[in-house]
């Protein structure tokens, strides 16, 4: 019995579909992970290498993740000696009233009570105390308005791109208004940053002030212990060891929740020498989860993915000589060229099984060159550029810092020094070059006759 053309077409279509399903798609970090949030980012913490991102350049509400910037400005002021941990702050009426608002994260502060700056810092970092953040701002800058300007100035200095700070706490201005003389910005405004900027702030905070983790990792502590103001604090980061969503290696950094921002969380965890930074913003709670659980579940998802799939690998050894760039020409030197090499190994976080997906690229320091040559004298070990890694296949997600270049790179230096040649050698070279040019001109002319 002959098959009809319909049967033949159906069989052909099925065969094609089966063949297509057997084709293995190339590995794609973006495709391997789906985070249920308006914006998210996953970063390797030592280099700032981005491993996953979702809508990461769009400014979103950050709520109390704001306090990471408040912490940065405070820690810098302490480092520079502008304020001291043991200096005290006397609480005015409005800030005392704020501290007793049970609808907001707070540690109670007595009116006209005095508190050490270090205690206020811990209240802000652990309990996310809003009144404590306001007190810190007034201690450092003299007023909250001046501190907000410092926050925006610092954001610009750190290279953030999509941000706006209107207060030191992360609250909506309408919630803050009863406790300040005048809000900065509109009555309903709230602080915003992109996920990438939030991760960059966390990255810089840990790089510049690694002691931040000593405080952000505290799960429980008593505020002003041993005094009449003693108050039990519990960290809102429920993924810390000992708390209800504990995650191995978790030690920071900051949660945030408002109606505008939704559930947010900037987390960091370290295992076996590998540390990652995660940011989730305005998590999706359509499944019925509350925003507290959802932000931690999405963070866990990203960290599990990172620890299971990425490692730090030495991609190039020390003393590596880039193919096609093993030497550089030197003018006015005793030698006419000098060998160059990397001065240290080049390591990079790579996805397991994709170690060969990167190739080295040599980038010269153009300021060191004159018409493509170094000029003698040249010192031994003089830096002349660097080697970076480029992805061979799919688009690389890049780094938080060094935009347009690459944060994983090794300096390229000269192997030996080259002394400047004396006047006689330089003169002979010039004469030789002169006659060489004449000879080249003659031979070219003669060749033209035939």
């Amino acid at each position: 019995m002959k098959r009809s053309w319909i049967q033949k077409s159906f069989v052909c279509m099925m065969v094609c579909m089966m063949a297509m399903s057997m084709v293995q798609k190339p590995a794609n970090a973006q495709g391997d992970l789906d985070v249920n949030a308006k914006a998210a980012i996953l970063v390797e913490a030592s280099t700032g290498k981005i491993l996953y991102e979702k809508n990461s350049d769009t400014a979103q509400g950050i709520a109390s993740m704001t306090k990471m910037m408040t912490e940065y400005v405070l820690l810098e002021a302490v480092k520079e000696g502008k304020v001291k941990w043991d200096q005290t702050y006397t609480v005015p009426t409005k800030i005392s009233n704020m501290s007793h608002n049970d609808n907001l994260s707070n540690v109670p502060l007595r009116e006209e009570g005095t508190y050490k700056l270090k205690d206020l810092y811990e209240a802000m970092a652990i309990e996310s105390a809003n009144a404590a953040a306001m007190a810190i701002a007034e201690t450092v800058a003299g007023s909250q308005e001046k501190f907000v300007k410092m926050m925006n100035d610092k954001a610009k200095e750190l290279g953030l791109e999509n941000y706006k700070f209107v207060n030191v706490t992360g609250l909506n201005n309408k919630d803050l208004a009863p406790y300040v003389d005048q809000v900065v910005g509109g009555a309903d405004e709230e602080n915003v940053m992109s996920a990438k900027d939030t991760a960059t702030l966390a990255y810089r905070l840990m790089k510049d002030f690694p002691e931040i983790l000593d405080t952000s990792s505290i799960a429980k502590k008593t505020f002003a212990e041993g005094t009449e103001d003693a108050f039990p604090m519990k960290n809102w980061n429920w993924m810390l060891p000992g708390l209800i969503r504990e995650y191995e290696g978790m030690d920071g950094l900051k949660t945030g929740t408002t109606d505008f921002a939704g559930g947010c969380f900037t987390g960091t965890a370290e295992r076996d020498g590998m540390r990652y930074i995660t940011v989730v913003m305005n998590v999706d709670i359509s499944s019925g989860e509350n925003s507290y659980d959802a932000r931690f579940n999405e963070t866990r998802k990203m960290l599990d993915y990172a620890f299971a799939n990425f490692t730090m690998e030495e991609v190039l050894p020390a003393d590596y000589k880039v193919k096609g760039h093993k030497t550089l020409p030197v003018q006015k030197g005793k030698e006419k060229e000098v060998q160059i090499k990397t001065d240290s190994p080049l390591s990079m976080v790579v996805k397991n099984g994709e170690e060969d997906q990167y190739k080295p690229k040599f980038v010269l320091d153009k300021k060191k060159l004159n018409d493509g040559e170094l000029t003698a004298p040249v010192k031994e070990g003089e830096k002349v550029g660097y080697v970076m890694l480029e992805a061979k296949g799919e688009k690389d997600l890049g780094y938080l810092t060094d935009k347009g270049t690459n944060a994983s790179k090794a300096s390229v230096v000269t192997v030996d020094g080259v002394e400047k040649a004396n006047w006689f050698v330089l003169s002979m070279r010039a004469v030789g070059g002169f006659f060489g040019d004449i000879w080249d001109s003659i031979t070219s002319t003669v060749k033209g006759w035939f």
Side-chain angles (χ1 to χ4, degrees):
M1 180 177 176
K2 293 184 178 180
R3 294 180 179 177
S4 68
W5 67 270
I6 295 178
Q7 289 176 312
K8 291 179 180 179
S9 299
F10 177 76
V11 171
C12 182
M13 180 179 70
M14 291 300 294
V15 170
C16 289
M17 289 177 66
M18 290 175 64
M20 290 174 65
S21 67
M22 293 173 66
V23 175
Q24 189 173 12
K25 294 181 179 180
N28 181 349
Q30 294 289 84
D32 293 344
L33 184 63
D34 182 25
V35 178
N36 297 321
K38 278 194 175 180
I41 195 166
L42 168 65
V43 176
E44 193 279 317
S46 68
T47 62
K49 182 79 178 70
I50 301 170
L51 307 178
Y52 170 87
E53 61 181 356
K54 176 181 180 180
N55 197 23
S56 67
D57 289 314
T58 304
Q60 311 275 351
I62 53 174
S64 279
M65 294 195 301
T66 293
K67 294 183 177 82
M68 290 192 296
M69 180 60 84
T70 306
E71 290 168 342
Y72 192 102
V73 176
L74 168 62
L75 290 168
E76 186 171 65
V78 172
K79 182 179 181 179
E80 293 174 353
K82 295 177 180 178
V83 293
K84 297 181 179 179
W85 285 125
D86 61 355
Q87 74 182 73
T88 58
Y89 171 82
T90 302
V91 180
T93 302
K94 286 189 175 181
I95 289 186
S96 178
N97 290 341
M98 154 65 87
S99 75
H100 288 86
N101 186 335
D102 294 336
N103 294 320
L104 305 173
S105 296
N106 271 310
V107 167
L109 303 174
R110 280 183 298 109
E111 184 176 352
E112 297 302 317
T114 58
Y115 302 90
K116 290 183 179 179
L117 185 61
K118 185 64 177 291
D119 290 333
L120 294 171
Y121 163 62
E122 291 182 346
M124 177 180 68
I126 299 169
E127 185 68 30
S128 195
N130 291 293
M134 295 161 70
I136 287 168
E138 294 187 358
T139 302
V140 173
S143 72
Q144 294 178 57
E145 293 80 7
K146 290 180 181 178
F147 194 91
V148 169
K149 184 180 185 305
M150 292 173 69
M151 294 169 76
N152 284 296
D153 290 345
K154 183 56 61 177
K156 183 178 180 180
E157 181 186 320
L158 294 176
L160 309 191
E161 297 178 343
N162 301 291
Y163 65 89
K164 184 179 182 180
F165 294 100
V166 295
N167 61 61
V168 305
T169 63
L171 293 172
N172 189 289
N173 269 350
K174 68 176 183 294
D175 294 322
L176 187 66
Y179 308 105
V180 295
D181 294 330
Q182 184 177 358
V183 296
V184 177
D188 290 321
E189 282 195 83
E190 190 169 313
N191 300 333
V192 296
M193 276 198 295
S194 68
K196 187 174 291 183
D197 283 346
T198 305
T200 301
L201 175 57
Y203 171 81
R204 286 298 304 272
L205 188 56
M206 291 191 293
K207 284 275 187 182
D208 299 342
F209 306 103
E211 66 270 22
I212 185 69
L213 297 177
D214 294 337
T215 306
S216 67
S217 61
I218 298 173
K220 299 176 183 179
K221 187 171 184 177
T222 300
F223 174 77
E225 188 171 11
T227 73
E228 61 181 302
D229 297 307
F231 182 83
M233 298 186 294
K234 185 177 179 180
N235 205 310
W236 286 97
N237 177 3
W238 296 349
M239 296 182 78
L240 290 174
L243 299 184
I244 59 176
R245 297 286 182 270
E246 89 174 79
Y247 186 86
E248 182 186 350
M250 174 65 65
D251 53 5
L253 279 161
K254 194 71 196 72
T255 60
T257 308
T258 62
D259 291 340
F260 172 66
C264 307
F265 181 39
T266 299
T268 184
E270 182 179 30
R271 292 181 188 174
D272 300 323
M274 292 292 294
R275 177 177 290 279
Y276 298 100
I277 299 168
T278 60
V279 178
V280 290
M281 308 180 80
N282 208 329
V283 293
D284 182 5
I285 56 174
S286 59
S287 63
E289 283 186 301
N290 62 55
S291 62
Y292 294 98
D293 284 334
R295 63 186 174 186
F296 298 132
N297 289 339
E298 297 308 305
T299 297
R300 180 182 297 272
K301 184 190 298 183
M302 283 199 285
L303 289 172
D304 284 347
Y305 169 77
F307 285 120
N309 289 282
F310 292 91
T311 53
M312 187 67 72
E313 299 289 341
E314 183 179 297
V315 183
L316 298 177
D319 302 327
Y320 175 79
K321 295 181 179 180
V322 182
K323 186 177 181 181
H325 299 283
K326 295 183 179 181
T327 62
L328 278 179
V330 179
Q331 57 183 242
K332 299 182 180 181
K334 287 186 176 181
E335 289 80 34
K336 292 185 177 181
E337 63 180 19
V338 63
Q339 292 187 37
I340 57 176
K341 64 175 184 177
T342 58
D343 69 344
S344 61
L346 178 53
S347 297
M348 181 176 181
V349 61
V350 295
K351 191 174 183 185
N352 299 338
E354 295 184 3
E355 293 82 358
D356 61 347
Q357 294 303 304
Y358 296 88
K359 59 182 179 181
K361 178 182 178 181
F362 178 41
V363 180
L364 272 169
D365 183 352
K366 294 180 180 179
K367 295 179 181 178
K368 294 275 187 179
L369 304 178
N370 182 17
D371 293 328
E373 298 180 322
L374 296 172
T375 301
V378 176
K379 295 179 181 179
E380 179 183 346
E382 184 172 340
K383 183 179 176 181
V384 295
Y386 61 87
V387 171
M388 57 181 278
L389 295 169
E390 287 187 320
K392 294 180 182 178
E394 297 180 16
K395 181 182 176 182
D396 195 290
L397 295 178
Y399 293 78
L400 291 175
T401 56
D402 293 334
K403 292 179 175 64
T405 59
N406 187 308
S408 286
K409 52 191 177 185
S411 295
V412 173
V413 299
T414 55
V415 174
D416 301 301
V418 178
E419 295 181 14
K420 186 175 181 179
N422 61 42
W423 67 270
F424 180 77
V425 172
L426 294 176
S427 298
M428 290 301 96
R429 286 181 185 172
V431 170
F434 172 75
F435 284 109
D437 290 342
I438 292 177
W439 176 254
D440 289 342
S441 178
I442 292 172
T443 55
S444 297
T445 301
V446 172
K447 287 180 181 178
W449 293 346
F450 297 95

